[in-house]
Amino acid sequence: MKIFKGLKKYWFWAILSPLAMMVEVICDLQLPNLMSRIVDEGINNPLLSGTEKLETVLSIGGLMLLLGLLGAMGGMSSSFFAAKASQSFGRDLRKKAFGKIMHLSFEQTDKFTTGSLVTRLSNDITMVTDFVTMALRMFIRSPFMLVGGLYMLITMSGDFGLILAIACPLLLLTFFLFLRKATPLFSVVQKKLDKVNNVVQENVTGARVVKAYVREEHEIKRFDEANVDLVNTSYRVQKILTFMMPIIMIIMNLTVVAVITVGGFEVDAGNMKVGAIMSAMTYLTMVLMSFIMVGNMAQHITRAFASVRRVNEVLDTEPVIKDGTVTEGTERGTVSFKNVTFAYPSSSGEPVLSNISFDVKRGETVAIMGATGSGKTSLINLIPRFYDATEGEVFVDGVNVKEYTLAALRKRISVVSQKTELFSGSIRHNILQGKPDASDAEIERAITVAQAKEFIDSFEEGIESDVGEKGMKLSGGQRQRVSIARGVIRCPEIMIMDDSMSALDLSTDARLRKALKKELSDTTVIMVAQRVATVMTADRIIILENGTIVGNDNHERLLESCEAYQTIYNSQLKKGDETDGR
Amino acid sequence: MADNRKPQGVQMHPPGRGGGPMRHGMPFEKPKDAKGTVSRLIKYIGKSKYLLLGLFVSVVFISLAGLAAPYFQGISVDVLDILEGERVDFNKLFIYVGLLAAAYIVNSLFTFIQGLIAVRLARNTVRDMRRDLFNHLARLPVKFFDTHRHGDIMSRMTNDVETVSNTISMSLTVVVSGVLTITGVLTVMFILNWQMTLISFITVPLSFMATLLMGKVMRKYFKRQQALNGELNGISEEAITEYRTVAAYSLEDSEIADFDLSADNLKNTAVTAQLLGGMMGPIMNTLGNLNYILIAAAGGFFSVSSGMPLSVIQSFLLYSKQFTRPINELGNQWATIQTAIAGAERIFAVMDSPLEADEGKSDAKVDGELDFSHVAFAYKEGEPVLNDFDIHVNKGNRIAIVGKTGAGKTTVVNLLTRFYDIQGGSITVDGTDLFDFPKAELRKNIAIVLQDTVLFSDTVKNNIKYGREDATDEEIIAAARLANAHSFISKLPDGYDTVLSESGANLSAGQRQLLSIARAIIADPKILILDEATSSVDTTTELHIQEAMLNLMKDRTSLIIAHRLSTIRDVDKIIVLDGGRICESGNHEELLQKGGYYRKLYMDQFAGIET
């Protein structure tokens, strides 16, 4: 797996860790032997006097303690080395994956979904990192212990090998049978848990509706069904697993009984001493424990490799939007679409926009209107190259957008999107994202233009106020104005506003548009809007219907000639005129 | 880790929790009132008396068998302890080995029974606790949901309940068997030789201290690791979910720099935490070895000086391991139990929140005449939202409430439905005080269409039927037609039987609104409350919604929280709210002519002309 190539950089630690682990295992393997010698050569030795016995016990004991300490050192340094290697590897992987994700094109992010990218970056990488730790330590320890213990046992007596030959397959069979039965049930349990969560979620967020329609009893019944279903299913899984443990215990314990019995014959024949039997029991337990651990490894490996695959999918994705080379335009502030057709790459190919052509001159304000799904957002997404047109060409500053470097293209454009996206931190932090080196005067000007000054000044901490996670501490209208200020501060050549004034009341909306016109007179503004009042004063209004342009003119002329615009106008401002009073 | 310290044979403790060294390091919370919470918990599990009794009995048998096994093992090994040239007494050996096997079988058998009882006990407690919690939750006042974080409520419902009940059945077993084993082993050891017993105690305080000290340091690092992990996830989640802004403002590099810094910090802390975690096992092993040597040495000494039998030494070697294990395990359980009690506290906190009051006994009928008189209300003390609020609505009238955000429009709805209760004045419906109606009677006659449409992950049909349980299919379709929803429903893959994904995510905002209107239509209420949505929907859907709303309002007393021009213009009366008071009222023409606050508001909000 090439993902693990990242470990190469830390090869030093990655090699030291298993080596240190081997020291621990070797020491561990010696201990039972020494213990038996304490009994056989010390306490039980009829040839020694009392003080000699004590001396033997103490000298062997001293060796045992030394070996034990050496083993402990080995174990500790092994976990330190393993942590060094795996955590550094994990950090690199995290950085690499995050860097990759940050440069993915929109269609790829859409395809992965943001939620899944977040889990891949956190859970999956943690899983892979933990796997490396385990591989460096446990995957070395258990097989080594297994082989070492086996060797010790068989050198004592071949009969012990026979006991193992019976016990091991039995253990394997037990594991296999139970896990095969239980594993599929785990995902069922998860699904049922989701269902329970879902009911609670709906009741918590929809409490008003439940109460308004007096449906508490219905909800309680619905919950009870989901709850009982979940609990019973997980009970079934647990019950299966309850069988497993005692069976494994009895197999392992009966091998101890077998060792004593077999040992009886060996001692009887004079081949062994009692201390050796005692250490044989310890070795046997060691071997069987390691055997179980080795069995568990398979499970860890499958789980880790599912994560590896998911991380690899991210790492292997190459952004589809490729950088160009041009950094300078020829006709500042212009935007034009030439026969543009666009279909979302993930869709069935049904175009969202077809054959769109229009030109916007420097400093013009163009509004885009149309029903939901008519393609407004898709259209403006093509300008900063969030997506590429399927057919036709988009020009910014007289140059095809595909020829610019992405940074150069996006630097000339400010996008204020529909779903206002703020970052946790202060208002200043968010505004500075538009222009990191902006002076205080520039910030002041931007918030004034964005009509955000009044509410920011009303905050105790002013511009330093924390906006909360995703800006949740601000109201919808305040969030929109902060994100407009973030766009304004760049003094962009082109400002794109995607329905970004919807939460403002109309007088604020009007003041904002006026200020934009005055302060950013050179800036070309392209705005998507739903309200006639917002678009009336634009230089031009483009009306979209099912992905095609059905009107492209100013308010007065559209009102005369464009049926689609008339419908919108009437639905919003019908009879409005007569009460206009001007 | 501790293979060489284990008694020969598998440790006899109930299955279910791994008590590895990592356990010590997991951060845990401290409960506030542990005593009170525990006694409430005991009442909970006390419901399954026979299960508890069975659990206790099997734990006793497991512990007894656990005590007997090393003894039998000791005496059977003793049989093999012969001098050169002697023969093994096989009769004796087979008897002892048989007894040993029997002890193991009894142990496994009761471990199995104990396991079965424990999962059953856990199932019952999870089920009952969750059921009680939800029963309570469903009857809590709306205020509770408005003032608690939803994610928090969710986690109490699932995580906390699960942790608590699992810990109950598991910890109970561990504690009981631990205490039994320790007492049993100690008794036997003292009977065998008290001097040896004291000697084998020497390492106990050492291992205790090691557990405690290491645990403390490790918890600190694991906590820090968790916090850093949270920080890292926070950065990546924000950058990834807000990727549009990141791309638009070319913020990739600054986000990556932030992320890298956190990733470095996390790595450093994680290495330390893992190192500390890896130390626990070796330290315990060393202490175990020390103990072994001490016993062997002391045994050698006593056997010489006072002729102590060798089997005693062997039993001691085994027993000393037998009692250090439960001591460590009890230490581990301490953290788990504390966390569980803290979880139980959170659960009981919900269960202790006062239920929605429902004291009304009147059998008066709701017909649709409303009267608000001198109503006062505040969500927070000292910040009145409504003050001396008076309106009278005749049956079948339409009233629109307008005003700026925060003027108290939604509050009127909250009070009429008794989601919140008035704090002064009175509200009467058809002459009967609002408080005299049973809440169910009142709410059955009021339908609300909310700004944020609430749909349930169920079929379209059941979502409409939510308004009235006994509605027939014909009625449902008729309601959908009136709500202008029939045509889009018919186009859904399974029509009325289409299952909505979570909260109706597979429908557009407009369609969801139409469904909620259909739901209100089928409820056939006397009083209707419309909280119009502010979100922008396209013109066609907008027209559909308006038409549907007009259908809905026909012949019903309607309160409209208005955001749309068309709905306001045709109402019988407009109430203009400002600062919690009614500042103007009248119909549209009258109010415009008056040229006051309404006119300004109207121009501002609806026509978009600056005044």
Side-chain angles (χ1 to χ4, degrees):
Chain A
M1 286 297 226
K2 69 167 192 216
I3 199 171
F4 295 116
K5 275 192 189 150
L7 258 178
K8 248 191 191 162
K9 219 166 126 192
Y10 306 102
W11 64 270
F12 182 67
W13 305 115
I15 287 174
L16 272 186
S17 171
L19 285 182
M21 180 51 81
M22 280 189 200
V23 172
E24 193 194 15
V25 174
I26 291 169
C27 292
D28 278 1
L29 282 172
Q30 291 310 315
L31 290 177
N33 212 354
L34 288 176
M35 290 184 194
S36 79
R37 279 177 55 201
I38 288 185
V39 177
D40 287 344
E41 292 171 23
I43 303 170
N44 255 0
N45 193 340
L47 304 174
L48 297 180
S49 72
T51 36
E52 279 172 330
K53 272 188 185 177
L54 209 56
E55 269 169 22
T56 320
V57 168
L58 285 180
S59 68
I60 300 180
L63 184 62
M64 206 177 116
L65 206 57
L66 267 174
L67 271 178
L69 276 176
L70 185 65
M73 301 284 288
M76 282 189 239
S77 36
S78 166
S79 56
F80 174 67
F81 300 144
K84 267 276 197 209
S86 64
Q87 294 298 332
S88 311
F89 161 78
R91 173 199 55 186
D92 292 354
L93 191 61
R94 259 200 193 98
K95 286 183 178 178
K96 201 167 143 199
F98 186 71
K100 195 86 195 187
I101 292 171
M102 283 291 97
H103 290 107
L104 286 182
S105 307
F106 280 31
E107 55 174 278
Q108 290 161 327
T109 310
D110 293 346
K111 208 175 100 200
F112 277 121
T113 76
T114 55
S116 134
L117 284 175
V118 173
T119 358
R120 282 170 206 240
L121 196 61
S122 51
N123 296 0
D124 285 325
I125 292 191
T126 307
M127 191 73 119
V128 176
T129 313
D130 289 348
F131 174 75
V132 172
T133 318
M134 209 149 56
L136 290 178
R137 302 181 59 224
M138 285 321 183
F139 288 8
I140 302 294
R141 183 187 170 90
S142 302
F144 205 64
M145 196 79 133
L146 182 68
V147 175
L150 212 57
Y151 171 77
M152 295 296 231
L153 267 180
I154 292 173
T155 48
M156 279 187 214
S157 163
D159 293 342
F160 295 145
L162 193 69
I163 297 173
L164 278 176
I166 298 170
C168 288
L170 275 178
L171 279 178
L172 209 64
L173 195 71
T174 316
F175 268 112
F176 177 74
L177 287 180
F178 280 107
L179 289 182
R180 199 184 57 173
K181 233 181 144 181
T183 317
L185 283 175
F186 284 123
S187 55
V188 180
V189 170
Q190 190 53 45
K191 263 192 211 121
K192 306 215 153 144
L193 181 65
D194 290 346
K195 176 79 190 159
V196 167
N197 278 333
N198 198 356
V199 177
V200 181
Q201 166 104 44
E202 287 178 347
N203 272 275
V204 170
T205 49
R208 280 187 163 74
V209 169
V210 174
K211 290 187 185 303
Y213 289 107
V214 202
R215 294 306 292 277
E216 289 95 336
E217 296 308 322
H218 168 80
E219 291 301 324
I220 288 173
K221 212 178 108 225
R222 200 159 78 102
F223 177 81
D224 206 40
E225 279 164 21
N227 182 26
V228 167
D229 196 23
L230 166 68
V231 169
N232 285 344
T233 317
S234 80
Y235 177 59
R236 260 168 58 209
V237 184
Q238 294 299 330
K239 222 163 68 178
I240 293 174
L241 295 179
T242 305
F243 274 98
M244 194 166 90
M245 203 54 205
I247 293 183
I248 289 170
M249 273 167 57
I250 201 75
I251 293 175
M252 294 184 67
N253 285 330
L254 288 183
T255 53
V256 171
V257 174
V259 168
I260 297 178
T261 318
V262 171
F265 291 103
E266 296 280 358
V267 172
D268 193 47
N271 296 338
M272 266 187 186
K273 284 190 180 167
V274 62
I277 305 293
M278 287 171 71
S279 61
M281 287 191 275
T282 314
Y283 284 128
L284 194 89
T285 321
M286 270 186 184
V287 169
L288 290 179
M289 282 288 185
S290 311
F291 186 75
I292 290 177
M293 294 294 270
V294 172
N296 275 347
M297 269 161 48
Q299 241 183 319
H300 285 297
I301 291 175
T302 32
R303 238 187 277 159
F305 274 61
S307 289
V308 167
R309 208 183 45 244
R310 287 158 52 84
V311 176
N312 261 339
E313 271 171 16
V314 175
L315 294 177
D316 289 344
T317 306
E318 284 305 321
V320 281
I321 306 247
K322 291 266 185 323
D323 247 3
T325 49
V326 177
T327 53
E328 291 306 319
T330 51
E331 299 161 60
R332 205 184 131 90
T334 60
V335 173
S336 57
F337 277 58
K338 292 215 163 47
N339 307 316
V340 170
T341 295
F342 174 68
Y344 280 98
S346 53
S347 75
S348 52
E350 182 109 350
V352 190
L353 296 172
S354 27
N355 207 21
I356 300 283
S357 298
F358 65 90
D359 294 295
V360 183
K361 290 195 282 286
R362 179 176 186 183
E364 239 186 338
T365 298
V366 175
I368 301 173
M369 277 191 117
T372 321
S374 60
K376 300 173 305 247
T377 300
S378 309
L379 187 149
I380 56 166
N381 274 342
L382 299 179
I383 303 171
R385 254 193 112 192
F386 289 161
Y387 295 90
D388 273 340
T390 318
E391 280 169 44
E393 288 156 320
V394 179
F395 295 89
V396 165
D397 288 9
V399 174
N400 190 323
V401 289
K402 290 184 183 176
E403 288 168 23
Y404 284 108
T405 64
L406 281 178
L409 173 67
R410 290 178 183 163
K411 222 180 92 185
R412 12 176 77 87
I413 304 170
S414 277
V415 183
V416 185
S417 56
Q418 197 170 18
K419 242 178 57 201
T420 316
E421 297 177 330
L422 293 185
F423 289 75
S424 47
S426 64
I427 296 176
R428 177 200 292 277
H429 168 74
N430 273 285
I431 294 176
L432 281 180
Q433 286 179 330
K435 191 180 177 197
D437 55 351
S439 67
D440 282 356
E442 283 176 286
I443 295 177
E444 191 71 15
R445 176 169 162 263
I447 60 176
T448 313
V449 172
Q451 308 299 315
K453 191 164 167 43
E454 197 183 329
F455 81 81
I456 291 176
D457 283 349
S458 78
F459 293 156
E460 217 163 280
E461 292 169 72
I463 193 128
E464 303 299 343
S465 309
D466 182 47
V467 299
E469 202 182 316
K470 292 184 180 140
M472 291 320 273
K473 284 190 188 161
L474 303 182
S475 77
Q478 291 169 340
R479 280 202 297 274
Q480 287 191 338
R481 278 174 279 176
V482 171
S483 70
I484 290 170
R486 177 169 65 192
V488 166
I489 201 160
R490 312 182 110 181
C491 289
E493 289 174 24
I494 298 155
M495 177 119 177
I496 297 175
M497 304 172 82
D498 186 359
D499 206 8
S500 52
M501 298 189 286
S502 58
L504 306 183
D505 64 50
L506 283 173
S507 57
T508 313
D509 179 336
R511 279 200 303 276
L512 198 153
R513 276 180 285 118
K514 206 182 262 174
L516 274 181
K517 196 91 211 153
K518 194 171 147 233
E519 296 289 328
L520 299 177
S521 55
D522 265 359
T523 299
T524 309
V525 178
I526 299 179
M527 60 163 87
V528 169
Q530 296 277 8
R531 296 191 294 209
V532 171
T534 311
V535 303
M536 257 161 49
T537 55
D539 296 316
R540 232 149 11 104
I541 305 165
I542 292 176
I543 311 288
L544 280 181
E545 218 173 71
N546 296 324
T548 54
I549 294 179
V550 294
N552 179 0
D553 216 327
N554 68 21
H555 171 71
E556 279 77 25
R557 279 195 289 269
L558 279 177
L559 208 50
E560 277 167 24
S561 61
C562 177
E563 201 189 325
Y565 188 66
Q566 286 160 2
T567 316
I568 298 171
Y569 180 80
N570 286 336
S571 81
Q572 292 187 20
L573 288 179
K574 170 176 59 174
K575 299 186 202 163
D577 290 356
E578 62 200 51
T579 53
D580 210 319
R582 280 192 307 186
Chain B
M1 285 265 92
D3 291 2
N4 59 332
R5 303 184 47 237
K6 282 176 185 158
Q8 285 90 340
V10 175
Q11 318 227 322
M12 298 181 178
H13 57 91
R17 70 241 95 61
M22 290 296 275
R23 261 291 157 118
H24 295 277
M26 289 307 162
F28 65 89
E29 310 164 66
K30 288 221 173 73
K32 290 180 201 86
D33 173 24
K35 231 178 173 178
T37 313
V38 169
S39 69
R40 275 178 87 170
L41 268 179
I42 289 174
K43 265 182 223 148
Y44 238 96
I45 46 171
K47 273 198 275 186
S48 321
K49 277 198 192 71
Y50 293 108
L51 286 183
L52 268 181
L53 189 69
L55 193 69
F56 190 74
V57 170
S58 17
V59 171
V60 170
F61 274 101
I62 293 169
S63 309
L64 283 180
L67 279 175
Y71 178 73
F72 291 137
Q73 198 179 312
I75 56 174
S76 20
V77 172
D78 232 12
V79 176
L80 305 183
D81 184 14
I82 48 169
L83 294 170
E84 236 159 301
E86 280 181 346
R87 298 296 305 262
V88 171
D89 182 351
F90 278 103
N91 282 339
K92 240 181 172 179
L93 182 67
F94 287 143
I95 291 173
Y96 291 159
V97 163
L99 283 171
L100 179 61
Y104 284 142
I105 289 170
V106 168
N107 178 64
S108 269
L109 189 71
F110 279 97
T111 307
F112 169 64
I113 294 173
Q114 177 268 343
L116 275 190
I117 294 175
V119 293
R120 184 171 266 263
L121 193 66
R123 178 193 67 166
N124 289 356
T125 19
V126 175
R127 188 190 54 207
D128 296 348
M129 205 177 245
R130 218 183 254 150
R131 183 184 280 155
D132 290 356
L133 189 55
F134 190 85
N135 275 359
H136 197 89
L137 199 71
R139 295 191 172 90
L140 284 174
V142 166
K143 188 179 174 186
F144 181 87
F145 301 100
D146 287 350
T147 49
H148 287 78
R149 276 186 24 238
H150 292 176
D152 187 42
I153 303 177
M154 297 282 301
S155 113
R156 289 175 198 216
M157 198 78 212
T158 47
N159 300 349
D160 284 342
V161 171
E162 200 94 22
T163 324
V164 169
S165 52
N166 284 341
T167 315
I168 288 175
S169 53
M170 294 308 177
S171 296
L172 212 63
T173 323
V174 177
V175 171
V176 173
S177 87
V179 170
L180 281 177
T181 312
I182 292 173
T183 3
V185 171
L186 280 184
T187 318
V188 178
M189 280 166 81
F190 268 108
I191 291 172
L192 285 176
N193 186 312
W194 65 271
Q195 293 101 330
M196 290 278 288
T197 311
L198 291 182
I199 286 166
S200 49
F201 266 3
I202 293 175
T203 53
V204 171
L206 286 178
S207 72
F208 223 62
M209 260 161 55
T211 317
L212 234 86
L213 279 177
M214 293 287 295
K216 213 171 171 184
V217 183
M218 269 154 67
R219 255 196 303 285
K220 197 176 113 197
Y221 273 92
F222 276 108
K223 244 186 194 162
R224 194 180 294 170
Q225 191 183 352
Q226 264 186 358
L228 282 169
N229 233 324
E231 186 185 300
L232 197 72
N233 284 346
I235 295 174
S236 61
E237 195 183 333
E238 199 167 65
I240 293 173
T241 49
E242 308 196 349
Y243 66 103
R244 281 168 198 278
T245 306
V246 171
Y249 290 95
S250 304
L251 297 172
E252 294 91 348
D253 292 336
S254 82
E255 287 297 324
I256 289 173
D258 278 0
F259 184 88
D260 283 0
L261 189 70
S262 280
D264 287 339
N265 286 339
L266 175 66
K267 183 218 114 189
N268 292 334
T269 313
V271 170
T272 319
Q274 259 186 38
L275 173 67
L276 289 170
M279 274 164 75
M280 203 66 202
I283 287 180
M284 289 317 227
N285 278 354
T286 310
L287 287 174
N289 291 339
L290 190 66
N291 199 29
Y292 191 94
I293 296 160
L294 280 173
I295 291 171
F301 175 74
F302 284 121
S303 72
V304 176
S305 64
S306 61
M308 190 180 73
L310 292 172
S311 68
V312 174
I313 305 177
Q314 267 150 26
S315 295
F316 260 99
L317 291 177
L318 289 174
Y319 280 127
S320 70
K321 285 168 192 164
Q322 279 265 316
F323 82 75
T324 38
R325 185 185 54 77
I327 286 180
N328 286 329
E329 224 162 45
L330 285 179
N332 287 352
Q333 284 300 314
W334 183 242
T336 319
I337 292 173
Q338 298 265 310
T339 311
I341 293 176
E345 255 173 15
R346 283 195 296 271
I347 296 171
F348 290 140
V350 176
M351 289 198 192
D352 288 343
S353 316
L355 288 178
E356 210 176 6
D358 193 9
E359 62 293 324
K361 297 270 185 301
S362 166
D363 52 4
K365 291 275 163 278
V366 174
D367 205 32
E369 193 185 318
L370 301 178
D371 195 72
F372 285 66
S373 140
H374 306 294
V375 169
F377 179 77
Y379 290 101
K380 258 194 245 159
E381 219 171 307
E383 295 174 29
V385 180
L386 287 184
N387 215 340
D388 209 11
F389 179 82
D390 284 290
I391 41 170
H392 182 83
V393 188
N394 287 325
K395 180 177 188 284
N397 269 12
R398 286 178 203 172
I399 303 286
I401 306 173
V402 299
K404 283 198 167 152
T405 317
K409 289 172 296 185
T410 317
T411 308
V412 178
V413 180
N414 281 338
L415 295 181
L416 185 60
T417 47
R418 288 200 62 200
F419 289 156
Y420 285 83
D421 281 335
I422 53 170
Q423 289 150 356
S426 69
I427 302 176
T428 58
V429 176
D430 300 300
T432 308
D433 194 284
L434 204 58
F435 286 88
D436 291 339
F437 287 103
K439 275 187 174 164
E441 175 61 24
L442 178 72
R443 289 179 182 162
K444 268 186 184 147
N445 286 294
I446 301 176
I448 54 174
V449 177
L450 290 173
Q451 261 192 47
D452 297 318
T453 318
V454 174
L455 295 177
F456 297 85
S457 50
D458 202 336
T459 59
V460 170
K461 189 203 276 177
N462 283 341
N463 266 291
I464 298 178
K465 229 172 136 175
Y466 210 82
R468 186 159 51 89
E469 219 169 337
D470 54 3
T472 62
D473 285 4
E474 289 73 36
E475 288 174 310
I476 291 169
I477 295 173
R481 277 186 201 281
L482 266 178
N484 271 329
H486 180 72
S487 64
F488 89 78
I489 296 173
S490 312
K491 281 183 207 145
L492 293 173
D494 296 314
Y496 281 83
D497 293 319
T498 308
V499 176
L500 301 184
S501 65
E502 225 166 289
S503 311
N506 47 352
L507 298 180
S508 75
Q511 291 171 330
R512 294 164 42 134
Q513 243 181 341
L514 293 180
L515 271 192
S516 79
I517 292 173
R519 181 167 63 193
I521 290 178
I522 208 144
D524 194 20
K526 300 284 190 211
I527 301 167
L528 183 71
I529 299 169
L530 289 175
D531 194 353
E532 287 185 340
T534 38
S535 66
S536 37
V537 280
D538 66 84
T539 318
T540 332
T541 317
E542 169 87 46
L543 287 172
H544 277 155
I545 293 173
Q546 277 175 20
E547 201 181 286
M549 284 196 172
L550 286 174
N551 285 335
L552 178 58
M553 288 188 290
K554 222 168 262 166
D555 304 322
R556 299 184 218 277
T557 308
S558 311
L559 281 179
I560 304 143
I561 296 173
H563 302 287
R564 289 190 183 84
L565 187 62
S566 51
T567 20
I568 311 194
R569 223 181 281 109
D570 305 324
V571 300
D572 298 300
K573 197 175 182 185
I574 298 169
I575 310 276
V576 187
L577 276 183
D578 186 30
R581 289 170 186 278
I582 298 175
C583 68
E584 284 176 327
S585 69
N587 69 26
H588 178 68
E589 303 300 330
E590 287 166 14
L591 287 174
L592 270 187
Q593 232 127 72
K594 204 172 151 200
Y597 185 71
Y598 177 75
R599 189 190 158 80
K600 180 174 153 30
L601 200 70
Y602 175 78
M603 290 304 177
D604 246 31
Q605 302 246 332
F606 300 103
I609 291 128
E610 222 182 320
T611 45

